[in-house]
């Protein structure tokens, strides 16, 4: 089908049971190419394409947005990981 495909993916990535290495990632894509990504460890949006560089510059000017995204590791990732991990561990 002809048309455009735009999407956002939010991920919480970790490998330790105490979540000390947890990272929040937000990726904005257009037609299967990731244009811009926020990594909570890096602490800012990074453009991965020519258009993504412009988006990253725009997003990074909004410090409230950047701080809120960085905080997502504590406000969204850890609580959800704790809930899902405990439900899996309780079943064994």
């Amino acid at each position: 089908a002809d048309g455009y495909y735009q999407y956002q993916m939010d991920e919480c990535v970790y490998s330790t049971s105490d979540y000390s290495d947890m990272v929040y990632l937000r990726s904005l894509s257009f037609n299967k190419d990731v244009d811009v990504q926020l990594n909570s460890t890096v602490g800012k949006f990074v453009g991965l394409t020519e258009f993504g560089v412009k988006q990253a510059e725009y997003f990074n000017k909004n410090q409230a947005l950047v701080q809120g995204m960085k905080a997502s590791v504590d406000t969204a990732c850890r609580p959800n990981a704790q809930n899902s991990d405990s439900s899996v561990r309780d079943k064994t």
Side-chain angles (χ1 to χ4, degrees), residues 13-91:
V13 181
Y14 62 98
S15 61
T16 60
S17 60
D18 68 353
Y19 312 117
S20 61
D21 65 341
M22 186 169 280
V23 177
Y24 170 73
L25 301 171
R26 173 170 283 183
S27 302
L28 303 174
S29 301
F30 182 75
N31 284 353
K32 300 183 182 179
D33 292 326
V34 179
D35 287 322
V36 65
Q37 186 175 61
L38 174 113
N39 177 320
S40 63
T41 304
V42 174
K44 65 179 183 176
F45 287 91
V46 176
L48 304 173
T49 64
E50 185 178 342
F51 178 64
V53 169
K54 293 175 185 176
Q55 285 183 301
E57 289 172 2
Y58 175 78
F59 293 144
N60 288 329
K61 288 178 184 175
N62 185 341
Q63 284 302 301
L65 172 67
V66 173
Q67 293 303 318
M69 294 289 102
K70 285 173 46 179
S72 293
V73 76
D74 294 317
T75 59
C77 290
R78 278 196 183 90
N80 287 319
Q82 290 167 340
N83 286 339
S84 62
D85 287 354
S86 68
S87 66
V88 170
R89 278 190 229 117
D90 293 345
K91 300 290 186 219

